[in-house]
Amino acid sequence: SLIALAELNRPVPEEIIKPILVDVLRAIEYLHQNLVVHRDIKGGNILLTENGEAKLSIAVLSFHVLLMVLIFV
């Protein structure tokens, strides 16, 4: 997650953080186009794939069942 990068206690270079933020903004745009508001965007909810792509995770409460959903952009 993005939290793991922050726990290194050093600045994250722009060339690393920029594509992560672009992925997150695209995920937010996708959610908003589908009339979904995230309400819990934080470092722990930004997951990173092995190749550095960011995925925004959300918890959806529906019919009293908690599901983890990954938004793939």
Short mmCIF file of all heavy atoms in Angstrom, two decimals:
data_model
loop_
_atom_site.label_atom_id
_atom_site.label_comp_id
_atom_site.label_asym_id
_atom_site.label_seq_id
_atom_site.Cartn_x
_atom_site.Cartn_y
_atom_site.Cartn_z
N SER A 1 0.84 -1.19 0.00
CA SER A 1 0.00 0.00 0.00
C SER A 1 0.88 1.24 0.00
O SER A 1 2.09 1.18 0.22
CB SER A 1 -0.92 0.01 1.21
OG SER A 1 -0.21 0.29 2.38
N LEU A 2 0.26 2.35 -0.21
CA LEU A 2 0.98 3.62 -0.18
C LEU A 2 1.54 3.89 1.21
O LEU A 2 2.58 4.53 1.35
CB LEU A 2 0.04 4.75 -0.61
CG LEU A 2 0.67 6.08 -0.97
CD1 LEU A 2 1.72 5.93 -2.06
CD2 LEU A 2 -0.38 7.07 -1.40
N ILE A 3 0.91 3.36 2.22
CA ILE A 3 1.39 3.50 3.59
C ILE A 3 2.79 2.91 3.72
O ILE A 3 3.65 3.44 4.39
CB ILE A 3 0.42 2.82 4.58
CG1 ILE A 3 -0.80 3.70 4.79
CG2 ILE A 3 1.05 2.51 5.91
CD1 ILE A 3 -0.58 4.96 5.57
N ALA A 4 3.03 1.77 3.06
CA ALA A 4 4.35 1.13 3.13
C ALA A 4 5.43 2.06 2.58
O ALA A 4 6.54 2.11 3.14
CB ALA A 4 4.33 -0.18 2.36
N LEU A 5 5.13 2.80 1.52
CA LEU A 5 6.09 3.76 1.00
C LEU A 5 6.35 4.86 2.02
O LEU A 5 7.48 5.29 2.22
CB LEU A 5 5.58 4.39 -0.30
CG LEU A 5 5.81 3.63 -1.59
CD1 LEU A 5 5.19 4.38 -2.77
CD2 LEU A 5 7.28 3.38 -1.85
N ALA A 6 5.30 5.33 2.66
CA ALA A 6 5.43 6.41 3.63
C ALA A 6 6.23 5.97 4.85
O ALA A 6 6.92 6.78 5.47
CB ALA A 6 4.05 6.91 4.05
N GLU A 7 6.13 4.69 5.20
CA GLU A 7 6.83 4.19 6.38
C GLU A 7 8.34 4.10 6.18
O GLU A 7 9.08 3.84 7.14
CB GLU A 7 6.27 2.84 6.79
CG GLU A 7 4.88 2.95 7.39
CD GLU A 7 4.24 1.61 7.70
OE1 GLU A 7 4.76 0.56 7.24
OE2 GLU A 7 3.21 1.61 8.38
N LEU A 8 8.81 4.33 4.97
CA LEU A 8 10.26 4.35 4.73
C LEU A 8 10.91 5.59 5.32
O LEU A 8 12.13 5.67 5.39
CB LEU A 8 10.55 4.27 3.22
CG LEU A 8 10.08 3.00 2.52
CD1 LEU A 8 10.32 3.12 1.02
CD2 LEU A 8 10.81 1.78 3.08
N ASN A 9 10.08 6.54 5.77
CA ASN A 9 10.55 7.77 6.42
C ASN A 9 11.52 8.58 5.57
O ASN A 9 12.49 9.13 6.07
CB ASN A 9 11.18 7.47 7.79
CG ASN A 9 10.15 7.02 8.79
OD1 ASN A 9 9.03 7.51 8.78
ND2 ASN A 9 10.52 6.09 9.63
N ARG A 10 11.24 8.61 4.27
CA ARG A 10 12.00 9.48 3.38
C ARG A 10 11.06 9.93 2.27
O ARG A 10 10.06 9.28 1.98
CB ARG A 10 13.23 8.77 2.83
CG ARG A 10 12.95 7.52 2.06
CD ARG A 10 14.24 6.91 1.53
NE ARG A 10 13.88 5.72 0.78
CZ ARG A 10 14.45 4.55 0.92
NH1 ARG A 10 15.44 4.39 1.76
NH2 ARG A 10 14.07 3.52 0.20
N PRO A 11 11.38 11.06 1.65
CA PRO A 11 10.49 11.55 0.59
C PRO A 11 10.39 10.56 -0.57
O PRO A 11 11.37 9.93 -0.94
CB PRO A 11 11.17 12.84 0.13
CG PRO A 11 12.09 13.23 1.24
CD PRO A 11 12.49 11.96 1.92
N VAL A 12 9.20 10.45 -1.12
CA VAL A 12 8.99 9.59 -2.28
C VAL A 12 9.26 10.45 -3.51
O VAL A 12 8.65 11.51 -3.67
CB VAL A 12 7.55 9.04 -2.32
CG1 VAL A 12 7.34 8.18 -3.55
CG2 VAL A 12 7.25 8.27 -1.04
N PRO A 13 10.18 10.02 -4.38
CA PRO A 13 10.51 10.83 -5.56
C PRO A 13 9.28 11.08 -6.45
O PRO A 13 8.40 10.23 -6.57
CB PRO A 13 11.55 9.99 -6.31
CG PRO A 13 12.08 9.04 -5.29
CD PRO A 13 10.98 8.81 -4.30
N GLU A 14 9.25 12.22 -7.09
CA GLU A 14 8.13 12.61 -7.94
C GLU A 14 7.87 11.58 -9.04
O GLU A 14 6.72 11.28 -9.36
CB GLU A 14 8.38 13.98 -8.57
CG GLU A 14 7.23 14.47 -9.42
CD GLU A 14 7.47 15.84 -10.02
OE1 GLU A 14 8.34 16.57 -9.52
OE2 GLU A 14 6.78 16.16 -10.99
N GLU A 15 8.93 11.02 -9.62
CA GLU A 15 8.74 10.06 -10.71
C GLU A 15 8.06 8.76 -10.24
O GLU A 15 7.54 7.99 -11.04
CB GLU A 15 10.04 9.75 -11.44
CG GLU A 15 11.12 9.14 -10.59
CD GLU A 15 12.05 10.16 -9.92
OE1 GLU A 15 11.79 11.37 -10.00
OE2 GLU A 15 13.03 9.70 -9.31
N ILE A 16 8.06 8.52 -8.93
CA ILE A 16 7.37 7.35 -8.38
C ILE A 16 5.95 7.71 -7.97
O ILE A 16 5.00 6.98 -8.25
CB ILE A 16 8.15 6.76 -7.18
CG1 ILE A 16 9.47 6.17 -7.68
CG2 ILE A 16 7.32 5.71 -6.44
CD1 ILE A 16 10.37 5.65 -6.59
N ILE A 17 5.78 8.85 -7.31
CA ILE A 17 4.47 9.22 -6.77
C ILE A 17 3.50 9.70 -7.86
O ILE A 17 2.30 9.48 -7.76
CB ILE A 17 4.60 10.26 -5.63
CG1 ILE A 17 3.34 10.29 -4.76
CG2 ILE A 17 4.90 11.64 -6.16
CD1 ILE A 17 3.13 9.09 -3.93
N LYS A 18 4.03 10.33 -8.92
CA LYS A 18 3.15 10.89 -9.95
C LYS A 18 2.26 9.83 -10.61
O LYS A 18 1.04 10.01 -10.68
CB LYS A 18 3.96 11.64 -11.00
CG LYS A 18 3.11 12.31 -12.04
CD LYS A 18 3.95 13.10 -13.03
CE LYS A 18 3.08 13.72 -14.11
NZ LYS A 18 3.87 14.48 -15.08
N PRO A 19 2.81 8.70 -11.11
CA PRO A 19 1.92 7.70 -11.72
C PRO A 19 0.94 7.08 -10.72
O PRO A 19 -0.18 6.70 -11.09
CB PRO A 19 2.86 6.65 -12.30
CG PRO A 19 4.22 6.97 -11.81
CD PRO A 19 4.20 8.34 -11.25
N ILE A 20 1.33 7.00 -9.45
CA ILE A 20 0.43 6.48 -8.42
C ILE A 20 -0.77 7.42 -8.28
O ILE A 20 -1.92 6.99 -8.26
CB ILE A 20 1.16 6.31 -7.08
CG1 ILE A 20 2.21 5.19 -7.19
CG2 ILE A 20 0.18 6.04 -5.94
CD1 ILE A 20 3.14 5.09 -6.00
N LEU A 21 -0.49 8.72 -8.19
CA LEU A 21 -1.57 9.70 -8.05
C LEU A 21 -2.46 9.74 -9.29
O LEU A 21 -3.68 9.89 -9.17
CB LEU A 21 -1.00 11.08 -7.74
CG LEU A 21 -0.31 11.19 -6.39
CD1 LEU A 21 0.29 12.58 -6.20
CD2 LEU A 21 -1.27 10.87 -5.27
N VAL A 22 -1.88 9.58 -10.47
CA VAL A 22 -2.68 9.54 -11.70
C VAL A 22 -3.64 8.35 -11.65
O VAL A 22 -4.83 8.49 -11.97
CB VAL A 22 -1.77 9.49 -12.95
CG1 VAL A 22 -2.57 9.16 -14.20
CG2 VAL A 22 -1.04 10.82 -13.13
N ASP A 23 -3.14 7.18 -11.24
CA ASP A 23 -4.01 5.99 -11.13
C ASP A 23 -5.14 6.23 -10.14
O ASP A 23 -6.29 5.86 -10.39
CB ASP A 23 -3.20 4.77 -10.69
CG ASP A 23 -2.31 4.21 -11.77
OD1 ASP A 23 -2.48 4.55 -12.96
OD2 ASP A 23 -1.41 3.41 -11.43
N VAL A 24 -4.83 6.84 -9.00
CA VAL A 24 -5.84 7.10 -7.97
C VAL A 24 -6.89 8.08 -8.49
O VAL A 24 -8.09 7.88 -8.32
CB VAL A 24 -5.19 7.61 -6.67
CG1 VAL A 24 -6.24 8.13 -5.69
CG2 VAL A 24 -4.34 6.53 -6.03
N LEU A 25 -6.43 9.13 -9.16
CA LEU A 25 -7.39 10.11 -9.71
C LEU A 25 -8.28 9.49 -10.78
O LEU A 25 -9.47 9.79 -10.86
CB LEU A 25 -6.63 11.32 -10.27
CG LEU A 25 -5.99 12.21 -9.20
CD1 LEU A 25 -5.11 13.26 -9.86
CD2 LEU A 25 -7.03 12.85 -8.31
N ARG A 26 -7.74 8.59 -11.59
CA ARG A 26 -8.56 7.89 -12.58
C ARG A 26 -9.59 6.99 -11.90
O ARG A 26 -10.73 6.89 -12.36
CB ARG A 26 -7.68 7.07 -13.51
CG ARG A 26 -6.94 7.92 -14.51
CD ARG A 26 -6.16 7.08 -15.49
NE ARG A 26 -5.48 7.95 -16.44
CZ ARG A 26 -4.32 7.68 -17.01
NH1 ARG A 26 -3.71 6.53 -16.74
NH2 ARG A 26 -3.77 8.51 -17.85
N ALA A 27 -9.20 6.35 -10.81
CA ALA A 27 -10.14 5.51 -10.07
C ALA A 27 -11.26 6.36 -9.47
O ALA A 27 -12.44 5.98 -9.53
CB ALA A 27 -9.41 4.74 -8.98
N ILE A 28 -10.91 7.51 -8.92
CA ILE A 28 -11.92 8.41 -8.34
C ILE A 28 -12.85 8.92 -9.44
O ILE A 28 -14.07 8.98 -9.26
CB ILE A 28 -11.25 9.58 -7.60
CG1 ILE A 28 -10.50 9.05 -6.37
CG2 ILE A 28 -12.27 10.63 -7.19
CD1 ILE A 28 -9.59 10.07 -5.72
N GLU A 29 -12.28 9.26 -10.59
CA GLU A 29 -13.10 9.71 -11.71
C GLU A 29 -14.08 8.62 -12.12
O GLU A 29 -15.26 8.88 -12.35
CB GLU A 29 -12.21 10.09 -12.89
CG GLU A 29 -12.97 10.56 -14.11
CD GLU A 29 -12.07 10.91 -15.27
OE1 GLU A 29 -11.08 10.17 -15.52
OE2 GLU A 29 -12.36 11.92 -15.92
N TYR A 30 -13.62 7.38 -12.19
CA TYR A 30 -14.48 6.25 -12.54
C TYR A 30 -15.62 6.10 -11.53
O TYR A 30 -16.78 5.93 -11.91
CB TYR A 30 -13.65 4.96 -12.60
CG TYR A 30 -14.49 3.73 -12.83
CD1 TYR A 30 -14.89 3.35 -14.10
CD2 TYR A 30 -14.89 2.94 -11.75
CE1 TYR A 30 -15.67 2.22 -14.30
CE2 TYR A 30 -15.67 1.81 -11.94
CZ TYR A 30 -16.06 1.46 -13.21
OH TYR A 30 -16.84 0.35 -13.41
N LEU A 31 -15.29 6.19 -10.25
CA LEU A 31 -16.31 6.09 -9.22
C LEU A 31 -17.35 7.19 -9.37
O LEU A 31 -18.56 6.94 -9.32
CB LEU A 31 -15.67 6.15 -7.83
CG LEU A 31 -14.85 4.95 -7.41
CD1 LEU A 31 -14.12 5.24 -6.10
CD2 LEU A 31 -15.73 3.72 -7.27
N HIS A 32 -16.88 8.43 -9.55
CA HIS A 32 -17.80 9.56 -9.65
C HIS A 32 -18.68 9.45 -10.89
O HIS A 32 -19.86 9.82 -10.85
CB HIS A 32 -17.03 10.87 -9.64
CG HIS A 32 -16.48 11.18 -8.29
ND1 HIS A 32 -15.84 12.36 -8.00
CD2 HIS A 32 -16.46 10.47 -7.12
CE1 HIS A 32 -15.46 12.36 -6.73
NE2 HIS A 32 -15.82 11.22 -6.19
N GLN A 33 -18.13 8.94 -12.00
CA GLN A 33 -18.94 8.75 -13.20
C GLN A 33 -20.05 7.73 -12.96
O GLN A 33 -21.08 7.76 -13.64
CB GLN A 33 -18.07 8.30 -14.38
CG GLN A 33 -17.19 9.39 -14.92
CD GLN A 33 -16.20 8.87 -15.97
OE1 GLN A 33 -16.01 7.67 -16.14
NE2 GLN A 33 -15.56 9.80 -16.65
N ASN A 34 -19.83 6.85 -12.00
CA ASN A 34 -20.83 5.83 -11.66
C ASN A 34 -21.59 6.18 -10.38
O ASN A 34 -22.17 5.30 -9.73
CB ASN A 34 -20.15 4.47 -11.55
CG ASN A 34 -19.72 3.97 -12.91
OD1 ASN A 34 -20.53 3.46 -13.66
ND2 ASN A 34 -18.46 4.16 -13.26
N LEU A 35 -21.55 7.47 -10.03
CA LEU A 35 -22.30 8.02 -8.89
C LEU A 35 -21.94 7.37 -7.56
O LEU A 35 -22.79 7.15 -6.71
CB LEU A 35 -23.80 7.93 -9.16
CG LEU A 35 -24.27 8.60 -10.46
CD1 LEU A 35 -25.75 8.37 -10.67
CD2 LEU A 35 -23.93 10.07 -10.48
N VAL A 36 -20.64 7.07 -7.39
CA VAL A 36 -20.15 6.49 -6.14
C VAL A 36 -19.17 7.48 -5.53
O VAL A 36 -18.29 8.01 -6.21
CB VAL A 36 -19.44 5.14 -6.40
CG1 VAL A 36 -18.83 4.60 -5.11
CG2 VAL A 36 -20.40 4.15 -7.01
N VAL A 37 -19.34 7.73 -4.24
CA VAL A 37 -18.41 8.58 -3.49
C VAL A 37 -17.62 7.69 -2.55
O VAL A 37 -18.20 6.90 -1.80
CB VAL A 37 -19.17 9.67 -2.70
CG1 VAL A 37 -18.20 10.51 -1.89
CG2 VAL A 37 -19.98 10.55 -3.64
N HIS A 38 -16.31 7.78 -2.58
CA HIS A 38 -15.46 6.85 -1.82
C HIS A 38 -15.55 7.08 -0.31
O HIS A 38 -15.77 6.16 0.45
CB HIS A 38 -14.01 6.95 -2.28
CG HIS A 38 -13.13 5.87 -1.74
ND1 HIS A 38 -12.71 5.85 -0.43
CD2 HIS A 38 -12.62 4.77 -2.32
CE1 HIS A 38 -11.96 4.78 -0.24
NE2 HIS A 38 -11.89 4.11 -1.37
N ARG A 39 -15.35 8.26 0.18
CA ARG A 39 -15.45 8.66 1.58
C ARG A 39 -14.35 8.14 2.51
O ARG A 39 -14.39 8.42 3.71
CB ARG A 39 -16.81 8.27 2.17
CG ARG A 39 -17.97 8.97 1.49
CD ARG A 39 -19.27 8.69 2.16
NE ARG A 39 -19.25 9.28 3.50
CZ ARG A 39 -20.08 8.94 4.47
NH1 ARG A 39 -20.99 8.02 4.25
NH2 ARG A 39 -20.00 9.52 5.64
N ASP A 40 -13.38 7.37 2.01
CA ASP A 40 -12.31 6.89 2.89
C ASP A 40 -11.00 6.74 2.13
O ASP A 40 -10.33 5.73 2.22
CB ASP A 40 -12.72 5.55 3.52
CG ASP A 40 -11.82 5.15 4.68
OD1 ASP A 40 -11.26 6.06 5.34
OD2 ASP A 40 -11.66 3.95 4.93
N ILE A 41 -10.65 7.78 1.38
CA ILE A 41 -9.40 7.73 0.63
C ILE A 41 -8.26 8.04 1.59
O ILE A 41 -8.23 9.09 2.24
CB ILE A 41 -9.41 8.73 -0.54
CG1 ILE A 41 -10.52 8.34 -1.52
CG2 ILE A 41 -8.06 8.76 -1.24
CD1 ILE A 41 -10.77 9.35 -2.60
N LYS A 42 -7.36 7.09 1.72
CA LYS A 42 -6.19 7.24 2.58
C LYS A 42 -5.12 6.28 2.08
O LYS A 42 -5.38 5.40 1.26
CB LYS A 42 -6.54 6.95 4.04
CG LYS A 42 -7.09 5.56 4.28
CD LYS A 42 -7.56 5.37 5.71
CE LYS A 42 -8.18 3.99 5.87
NZ LYS A 42 -8.77 3.83 7.18
N GLY A 43 -3.92 6.46 2.56
CA GLY A 43 -2.79 5.65 2.10
C GLY A 43 -3.02 4.16 2.22
O GLY A 43 -2.61 3.40 1.34
N GLY A 44 -3.66 3.73 3.27
CA GLY A 44 -3.91 2.30 3.48
C GLY A 44 -4.88 1.70 2.49
O GLY A 44 -4.94 0.50 2.32
N ASN A 45 -5.67 2.56 1.81
CA ASN A 45 -6.63 2.08 0.82
C ASN A 45 -6.11 2.22 -0.61
O ASN A 45 -6.85 1.99 -1.56
CB ASN A 45 -7.97 2.82 0.96
CG ASN A 45 -8.73 2.37 2.18
OD1 ASN A 45 -8.51 1.29 2.71
ND2 ASN A 45 -9.62 3.21 2.65
N ILE A 46 -4.87 2.64 -0.75
CA ILE A 46 -4.23 2.69 -2.06
C ILE A 46 -3.24 1.54 -2.12
O ILE A 46 -2.20 1.56 -1.47
CB ILE A 46 -3.53 4.05 -2.29
CG1 ILE A 46 -4.56 5.18 -2.21
CG2 ILE A 46 -2.81 4.05 -3.63
CD1 ILE A 46 -3.96 6.57 -2.23
N LEU A 47 -3.60 0.53 -2.87
CA LEU A 47 -2.79 -0.68 -2.97
C LEU A 47 -1.91 -0.59 -4.21
O LEU A 47 -2.31 -0.03 -5.22
CB LEU A 47 -3.70 -1.90 -3.04
CG LEU A 47 -4.78 -1.99 -1.97
CD1 LEU A 47 -5.67 -3.19 -2.20
CD2 LEU A 47 -4.15 -2.05 -0.59
N LEU A 48 -0.71 -1.15 -4.11
CA LEU A 48 0.21 -1.11 -5.23
C LEU A 48 0.46 -2.53 -5.74
O LEU A 48 0.75 -3.43 -4.95
CB LEU A 48 1.54 -0.47 -4.81
CG LEU A 48 1.43 0.96 -4.27
CD1 LEU A 48 2.79 1.45 -3.79
CD2 LEU A 48 0.88 1.88 -5.33
N THR A 49 0.37 -2.70 -7.06
CA THR A 49 0.67 -4.00 -7.65
C THR A 49 2.18 -4.17 -7.72
O THR A 49 2.94 -3.23 -7.48
CB THR A 49 0.07 -4.12 -9.07
OG1 THR A 49 0.72 -3.17 -9.92
CG2 THR A 49 -1.42 -3.88 -9.06
N GLU A 50 2.61 -5.36 -8.08
CA GLU A 50 4.05 -5.62 -8.19
C GLU A 50 4.72 -4.75 -9.24
O GLU A 50 5.90 -4.44 -9.13
CB GLU A 50 4.30 -7.10 -8.48
CG GLU A 50 4.02 -7.99 -7.30
CD GLU A 50 4.35 -9.45 -7.58
OE1 GLU A 50 5.00 -9.73 -8.61
OE2 GLU A 50 3.97 -10.29 -6.75
N ASN A 51 3.96 -4.35 -10.27
CA ASN A 51 4.56 -3.49 -11.31
C ASN A 51 4.29 -2.01 -11.07
O ASN A 51 4.51 -1.19 -11.96
CB ASN A 51 4.10 -3.93 -12.71
CG ASN A 51 2.61 -3.77 -12.91
OD1 ASN A 51 1.87 -3.50 -11.98
ND2 ASN A 51 2.17 -3.96 -14.13
N GLY A 52 3.84 -1.65 -9.87
CA GLY A 52 3.72 -0.25 -9.49
C GLY A 52 2.40 0.42 -9.80
O GLY A 52 2.25 1.61 -9.56
N GLU A 53 1.42 -0.32 -10.31
CA GLU A 53 0.11 0.27 -10.55
C GLU A 53 -0.63 0.43 -9.23
O GLU A 53 -0.55 -0.43 -8.36
CB GLU A 53 -0.73 -0.61 -11.47
CG GLU A 53 -0.26 -0.66 -12.90
CD GLU A 53 -1.15 -1.53 -13.74
OE1 GLU A 53 -1.30 -2.72 -13.39
OE2 GLU A 53 -1.70 -1.03 -14.72
N ALA A 54 -1.35 1.53 -9.11
CA ALA A 54 -2.13 1.78 -7.90
C ALA A 54 -3.56 1.33 -8.11
O ALA A 54 -4.15 1.55 -9.16
CB ALA A 54 -2.10 3.26 -7.55
N LYS A 55 -4.12 0.68 -7.10
CA LYS A 55 -5.51 0.25 -7.10
C LYS A 55 -6.16 0.82 -5.84
O LYS A 55 -5.61 0.73 -4.75
CB LYS A 55 -5.62 -1.28 -7.08
CG LYS A 55 -4.89 -1.97 -8.21
CD LYS A 55 -5.48 -1.63 -9.55
CE LYS A 55 -4.74 -2.35 -10.66
NZ LYS A 55 -5.17 -1.94 -11.98
N LEU A 56 -7.31 1.43 -6.01
CA LEU A 56 -8.03 2.03 -4.90
C LEU A 56 -9.03 1.02 -4.36
O LEU A 56 -9.89 0.54 -5.09
CB LEU A 56 -8.74 3.30 -5.38
CG LEU A 56 -9.46 4.14 -4.35
CD1 LEU A 56 -8.50 4.63 -3.28
CD2 LEU A 56 -10.16 5.31 -5.02
N SER A 57 -8.89 0.65 -3.10
CA SER A 57 -9.82 -0.30 -2.52
C SER A 57 -10.92 0.44 -1.77
O SER A 57 -10.70 1.51 -1.22
CB SER A 57 -9.10 -1.27 -1.58
OG SER A 57 -8.64 -0.59 -0.44
N ILE A 58 -12.11 -0.15 -1.81
CA ILE A 58 -13.23 0.43 -1.08
C ILE A 58 -13.98 -0.69 -0.38
O ILE A 58 -14.02 -1.82 -0.85
CB ILE A 58 -14.19 1.23 -1.99
CG1 ILE A 58 -14.82 0.36 -3.05
CG2 ILE A 58 -13.50 2.41 -2.62
CD1 ILE A 58 -15.90 1.05 -3.86
N ALA A 59 -14.56 -0.39 0.74
CA ALA A 59 -15.41 -1.34 1.45
C ALA A 59 -16.85 -0.96 1.12
O ALA A 59 -17.25 0.19 1.26
CB ALA A 59 -15.17 -1.28 2.94
N VAL A 60 -17.60 -1.92 0.65
CA VAL A 60 -18.99 -1.67 0.27
C VAL A 60 -19.89 -2.43 1.24
O VAL A 60 -19.76 -3.64 1.39
CB VAL A 60 -19.24 -2.15 -1.18
CG1 VAL A 60 -20.70 -1.94 -1.55
CG2 VAL A 60 -18.33 -1.42 -2.14
N LEU A 61 -20.78 -1.72 1.89
CA LEU A 61 -21.73 -2.35 2.80
C LEU A 61 -23.06 -2.48 2.06
O LEU A 61 -23.71 -1.51 1.73
CB LEU A 61 -21.90 -1.50 4.06
CG LEU A 61 -22.70 -2.11 5.18
CD1 LEU A 61 -22.05 -3.42 5.63
CD2 LEU A 61 -22.81 -1.16 6.34
N SER A 62 -23.43 -3.70 1.77
CA SER A 62 -24.66 -3.95 1.03
C SER A 62 -25.33 -5.20 1.58
O SER A 62 -24.70 -6.25 1.69
CB SER A 62 -24.34 -4.11 -0.45
OG SER A 62 -25.49 -4.42 -1.17
N PHE A 63 -26.58 -5.10 1.93
CA PHE A 63 -27.33 -6.22 2.48
C PHE A 63 -26.61 -6.83 3.69
O PHE A 63 -26.54 -8.03 3.86
CB PHE A 63 -27.60 -7.30 1.42
CG PHE A 63 -28.35 -6.77 0.24
CD1 PHE A 63 -27.68 -6.54 -0.94
CD2 PHE A 63 -29.69 -6.48 0.32
CE1 PHE A 63 -28.36 -6.04 -2.05
CE2 PHE A 63 -30.38 -5.98 -0.78
CZ PHE A 63 -29.71 -5.76 -1.96
N HIS A 64 -26.00 -5.96 4.49
CA HIS A 64 -25.32 -6.34 5.73
C HIS A 64 -24.11 -7.26 5.50
O HIS A 64 -23.72 -8.00 6.39
CB HIS A 64 -26.30 -7.00 6.71
CG HIS A 64 -27.52 -6.17 6.95
ND1 HIS A 64 -27.49 -5.02 7.69
CD2 HIS A 64 -28.80 -6.31 6.53
CE1 HIS A 64 -28.70 -4.49 7.71
NE2 HIS A 64 -29.50 -5.25 7.02
N VAL A 65 -23.55 -7.21 4.32
CA VAL A 65 -22.35 -7.99 4.01
C VAL A 65 -21.25 -7.02 3.64
O VAL A 65 -21.43 -6.16 2.80
CB VAL A 65 -22.60 -8.97 2.84
CG1 VAL A 65 -21.32 -9.72 2.49
CG2 VAL A 65 -23.71 -9.94 3.20
N LEU A 66 -20.08 -7.15 4.27
CA LEU A 66 -18.96 -6.28 3.96
C LEU A 66 -18.10 -6.95 2.91
O LEU A 66 -17.61 -8.06 3.10
CB LEU A 66 -18.13 -6.00 5.23
CG LEU A 66 -17.03 -4.98 5.10
CD1 LEU A 66 -17.62 -3.60 4.77
CD2 LEU A 66 -16.23 -4.90 6.38
N LEU A 67 -17.93 -6.28 1.77
CA LEU A 67 -17.14 -6.82 0.67
C LEU A 67 -15.99 -5.88 0.38
O LEU A 67 -16.14 -4.68 0.43
CB LEU A 67 -18.00 -6.94 -0.60
CG LEU A 67 -19.27 -7.76 -0.51
CD1 LEU A 67 -20.09 -7.57 -1.78
CD2 LEU A 67 -18.93 -9.22 -0.31
N MET A 68 -14.81 -6.42 0.06
CA MET A 68 -13.71 -5.59 -0.41
C MET A 68 -13.77 -5.59 -1.92
O MET A 68 -13.85 -6.64 -2.56
CB MET A 68 -12.35 -6.12 0.05
CG MET A 68 -12.02 -5.79 1.48
SD MET A 68 -12.06 -4.04 1.85
CE MET A 68 -10.54 -3.52 1.14
N VAL A 69 -13.75 -4.41 -2.49
CA VAL A 69 -13.85 -4.27 -3.93
C VAL A 69 -12.64 -3.48 -4.40
O VAL A 69 -12.31 -2.46 -3.85
CB VAL A 69 -15.13 -3.51 -4.34
CG1 VAL A 69 -15.19 -3.33 -5.85
CG2 VAL A 69 -16.36 -4.23 -3.82
N LEU A 70 -11.95 -3.97 -5.43
CA LEU A 70 -10.84 -3.24 -6.02
C LEU A 70 -11.32 -2.60 -7.32
O LEU A 70 -11.95 -3.24 -8.14
CB LEU A 70 -9.66 -4.18 -6.32
CG LEU A 70 -9.00 -4.82 -5.10
CD1 LEU A 70 -7.90 -5.75 -5.56
CD2 LEU A 70 -8.45 -3.74 -4.19
N ILE A 71 -11.01 -1.33 -7.45
CA ILE A 71 -11.38 -0.61 -8.65
C ILE A 71 -10.21 -0.69 -9.61
O ILE A 71 -9.13 -0.17 -9.34
CB ILE A 71 -11.69 0.87 -8.32
CG1 ILE A 71 -12.79 0.97 -7.27
CG2 ILE A 71 -12.08 1.63 -9.59
CD1 ILE A 71 -14.10 0.31 -7.64
N PHE A 72 -10.39 -1.36 -10.72
CA PHE A 72 -9.34 -1.51 -11.72
C PHE A 72 -9.59 -0.52 -12.83
O PHE A 72 -10.63 -0.54 -13.46
CB PHE A 72 -9.31 -2.94 -12.27
CG PHE A 72 -8.95 -3.95 -11.23
CD1 PHE A 72 -9.92 -4.63 -10.53
CD2 PHE A 72 -7.62 -4.18 -10.94
CE1 PHE A 72 -9.58 -5.56 -9.56
CE2 PHE A 72 -7.28 -5.09 -9.98
CZ PHE A 72 -8.24 -5.79 -9.28
N VAL A 73 -8.62 0.32 -13.04
CA VAL A 73 -8.73 1.34 -14.10
C VAL A 73 -7.88 0.94 -15.27
O VAL A 73 -6.82 0.42 -15.14
CB VAL A 73 -8.27 2.72 -13.55
CG1 VAL A 73 -8.39 3.77 -14.62
CG2 VAL A 73 -9.09 3.08 -12.35
#
